[in-house]
């Protein structure tokens, strides 16, 4: 079976590695163009491109696949590369580009997506973050037959995964990436035997996981402490939680719900475990913090460099 792979970040690279280890032929990889990243803002290749280059796989990086779109020459070049690759199937994982109909129709078995949620819950760009933020008890991987809609295609394989109380997006991401890699290999092995069956998504329970915006980092202390705590875990590693104390912006990475009441944002008490801040309901002990330009620190180490006193108030 000839597999074209389309993906960009670490989540996708994990699946590509699993496909290669399983012995599938991958003649072509599609991924996002190199972009500036890191402190020096140097051009960096995606994790998928880096793996493809190590494996000697051809890479295409069009900014669009729409032949009638903004970059028709790039789309046409990518189309020829896809035709030359003669794929039986395309596997898509966090690629970042919309696939036009001509792409969906090109492989014999169509395009299969590795989606990090239990569809139809959390269609869209940020399913891992939104599941933690919402307090979901479980998530999972859905292998989906792609169609023209946004994560609306038929389900081929589904496996559930419990969300642990301490899970951050980073931790849950890694477990889901490993699960996605295993499940897509299983799906292709079943497809090779002609036994892969499709199930339409339920019409009920549809939710959308909108893209995470940097502005969402701002902590609203009027919210319940439990909701703020979930958001901190959901926004780790990006964009974190942001609070202002006096004139200083402080990143908050981890919190613990605890008893307490007062004007939201007010520091109720401080000890080596961290400052306790009043919220709309209960209070939140801030256990991991970061100053601008500094490192993430446990509360005790942070307070040695930047003391916080009871009665101060976070804006």
């Amino acid at each position: 079976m000839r597999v074209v792979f389309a993906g960009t970040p670490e989540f996708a690279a994990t699946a590509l590695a699993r496909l290669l280890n399983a012995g599938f032929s991958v003649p072509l990889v599609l991924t996002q163009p190199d972009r500036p990243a890191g402190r020096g803002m140097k051009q960096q290749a995606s994790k998928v491109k880096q793996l493809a280059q190590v494996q000697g796989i051809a890479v295409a990086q069009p900014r669009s696949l729409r032949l009638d779109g903004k970059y028709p020459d790039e789309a046409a070049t990518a189309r020829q590369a896809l035709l030359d690759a003669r794929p039986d199937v395309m596997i898509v994982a966090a690629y970042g580009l919309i696939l036009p109909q001509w792409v969906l129709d090109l492989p014999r078995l169509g395009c299969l997506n590795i989606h990090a949620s239990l569809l139809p819950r959390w269609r869209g760009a940020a399913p891992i973050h939104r599941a933690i933020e919402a307090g979901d008890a479980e998530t999972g991987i859905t292998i989906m037959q792609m169609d023209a809609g946004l994560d609306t295609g038929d389900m081929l394989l589904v496996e559930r995964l419990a969300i642990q109380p301490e899970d951050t997006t980073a931790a849950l991401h890694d477990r889901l990436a490993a699960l996605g890699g295993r499940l897509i290999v299983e799906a292709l092995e079943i497809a090779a035997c002609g036994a892969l069956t499709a199930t339409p998504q339920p019409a009920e329970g549809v939710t959308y996981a909108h893209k995470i915006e940097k502005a969402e980092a701002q902590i609203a202390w009027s919210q319940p402490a439990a909701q703020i705590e979930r958001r901190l875990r959901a926004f780790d590693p990006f964009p974190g939680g942001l609070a202002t104390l006096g004139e200083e912006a402080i990143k908050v990475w981890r919190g613990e719900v605890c008893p307490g009441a007062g004007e939201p944002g007010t520091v109720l008490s401080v000890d080596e475990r961290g400052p306790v801040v009043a919220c709309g309901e209960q209070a939140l002990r801030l256990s991991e913090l970061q100053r601008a330009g500094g490192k993430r620190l446990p509360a005790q180490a942070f307070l040695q460099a930047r003391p916080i006193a009871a009665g101060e108030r976070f804006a």
Side-chain angles (χ1 to χ4, degrees):
M1 186 179 293
R2 294 173 63 82
V3 179
V4 164
F5 188 89
T8 298
E10 185 70 38
F11 180 89
T14 300
L16 176 58
R18 191 68 183 254
L19 288 166
L20 294 170
N21 290 338
F24 286 97
S25 172
V26 182
L28 177 67
V29 157
L30 293 155
T31 191
Q32 287 279 312
D34 297 0
R35 289 198 169 91
R39 290 194 173 184
M41 295 302 287
K42 295 180 180 178
Q43 293 288 111
Q44 288 191 14
S46 72
K47 294 292 185 181
V48 165
K49 180 180 178 181
Q50 292 174 37
L51 176 57
Q53 290 178 321
V54 169
Q55 297 293 328
I57 301 170
V59 176
Q61 297 177 272
R63 285 174 287 182
S64 172
L65 289 166
R66 296 191 177 279
L67 297 169
D68 58 352
K70 189 176 180 181
Y71 305 103
D73 291 344
E74 293 182 26
T77 300
R79 183 177 185 275
Q80 188 58 54
L82 280 165
L83 290 170
D84 292 342
R86 296 178 290 108
D88 294 300
V89 66
M90 178 185 283
I91 303 303
V92 182
Y95 177 31
L97 287 186
I98 294 173
L99 302 188
Q101 194 63 46
W102 72 262
V103 177
L104 297 174
D105 294 339
L106 193 149
R108 175 174 59 87
L109 297 174
C111 300
L112 309 188
N113 179 241
I114 308 170
H115 188 75
S117 82
L118 301 173
L119 292 170
R121 185 155 178 80
W122 302 127
R123 295 173 178 172
I128 303 175
H129 307 73
R130 299 305 182 191
I132 294 175
E133 182 186 16
D136 290 1
E138 63 177 2
T139 183
I141 291 290
T142 303
I143 305 298
M144 177 190 67
Q145 185 82 51
M146 296 182 70
D147 60 16
L150 175 63
D151 298 330
T152 56
D154 290 349
M155 301 180 294
L156 303 172
L157 286 180
V158 178
E159 189 163 324
R160 297 174 180 273
L161 185 70
I163 299 177
Q164 303 301 324
E166 69 280 4
D167 268 337
T168 62
T169 286
L172 186 56
H173 165 281
D174 291 349
R175 299 208 308 280
L176 285 167
L179 176 58
R182 176 171 64 79
L183 217 58
I184 193 60
V185 168
E186 184 178 328
L188 291 184
E189 289 172 345
I190 296 171
C193 301
L196 197 59
T197 58
T199 303
Q201 293 185 35
E204 301 79 25
V206 175
T207 54
Y208 288 91
H210 298 288
K211 181 181 177 182
I212 302 298
E213 301 291 345
K214 192 173 182 179
E216 294 183 74
Q218 191 68 50
I219 296 173
W221 299 103
S222 58
Q223 294 178 340
Q227 183 173 342
I228 298 172
E229 187 273 339
R230 291 197 306 268
R231 287 171 66 89
L232 293 180
R233 290 188 290 112
F235 296 165
D236 183 355
F238 175 85
L242 185 63
T244 304
L245 189 63
E247 299 294 321
E248 185 174 8
I250 295 174
K251 276 281 187 82
V252 181
W253 290 105
R254 197 66 57 88
E256 176 188 340
V257 179
C258 57
E263 188 67 23
T266 302
V267 179
L268 302 176
S269 62
V270 183
D271 60 27
E272 69 277 1
R273 295 172 296 169
V276 176
V277 183
C279 303
E281 293 177 13
Q282 297 184 288
L284 194 69
R285 186 188 304 278
L286 312 185
S287 56
E288 188 176 353
L289 305 100
Q290 180 181 8
R291 301 182 78 177
K295 297 180 180 180
R296 293 171 59 158
L297 295 172
Q300 186 174 13
F302 180 90
L303 292 170
Q304 290 173 355
R306 205 299 186 189
I308 297 174
E312 290 189 82
R313 187 176 177 189
F314 284 92

